[in-house]
Amino acid sequence: MKKTLSIIALSIIGLGLVSCKKENKEAAAGAEVANITDSTAGATNLAPANTSGGVSEEPAAAPVSNQPLTTIALSESNFDFGNIKKGDKVQHVYEVTNTGTNPLVISEVKPGCGCTAPDFTKEPILPGKKGKIILHFDSSNFDGNVSKFADVFANVEKAPVKLTFTANIQP
């Protein structure tokens, strides 16, 4: 029994180590679905994620905020780095505006891969004010076209908000 559990655990860890490479093809196929902003109004109403206590095969959701809900507008939800050289470390700033009446609290930004690291405004963003989410990408382990994402958890109706970026990695 212990041996079986050890093999399963090692298999899961092994899958996690290759998930960045595999994700490129999967993310590219789902890139159209990732755009969640309303292009006519520039604002998106978002809500807390469902955090049922049951066991799930999906990654655990970030904790739901106890803050009153508000609304958010993104400067963009998708960014294209274009052609970059393999090994380049690039970053992009996504500007967020609190379009609601309550302070906007970004509780967590979860990248879909270890090749992406987030920074974000930690203090509450007051109504009408702006904050930032920065995604840092390390292209060292990639070739060709890649598509990556990060989920933004905040006190909005349809959380998480998905931010995406693409790049074409050149040798």
Side-chain angles (χ1 to χ4, degrees):
M1 178 72 168
K2 285 184 182 180
K3 195 176 228 182
T4 303
L5 290 176
S6 296
I7 291 171
I8 292 171
L10 288 173
S11 297
I12 292 170
I13 291 170
L15 288 173
L17 293 175
V18 297
S19 67
C20 281
K21 293 256 186 199
K22 203 174 194 183
E23 177 186 320
N24 292 340
K25 293 174 187 158
E26 294 167 4
E32 290 297 319
V33 179
N35 188 357
I36 53 87
T37 58
D38 179 348
S39 60
T40 58
T44 305
N45 293 329
L46 305 159
N50 179 5
T51 55
S52 62
V55 175
S56 171
E57 290 184 9
E58 295 182 19
V64 175
S65 172
N66 292 330
Q67 302 292 321
L69 296 181
T70 192
T71 55
I72 187 174
L74 300 169
S75 59
E76 61 197 330
S77 63
N78 186 34
F79 180 75
D80 183 6
F81 285 108
N83 293 332
I84 61 174
K85 293 209 180 290
K86 184 174 181 130
D88 282 356
K89 292 177 172 77
V90 295
Q91 67 180 28
H92 182 68
V93 178
Y94 298 83
E95 187 176 87
V96 296
T97 304
N98 181 350
T99 57
T101 56
N102 295 312
L104 172 64
V105 178
I106 301 172
S107 57
E108 184 174 7
V109 178
K110 290 178 98 173
C113 178
C115 60
T116 305
D119 285 321
F120 58 95
T121 302
K122 306 277 193 295
E123 60 274 355
I125 303 166
L126 298 176
K129 300 296 180 186
K130 297 178 187 278
K132 295 178 184 177
I133 300 169
I134 305 169
L135 296 181
H136 306 267
F137 172 62
D138 181 354
S139 66
S140 298
N141 295 319
F142 301 96
D143 295 301
N145 290 320
V146 296
S147 181
K148 298 294 176 183
F149 73 93
D151 288 329
V152 178
F153 293 87
N155 59 323
V156 293
E157 282 187 26
K158 293 183 182 175
V161 176
K162 191 170 289 289
L163 298 178
T164 61
F165 64 85
T166 55
N168 185 17
I169 314 300
Q170 304 290 306

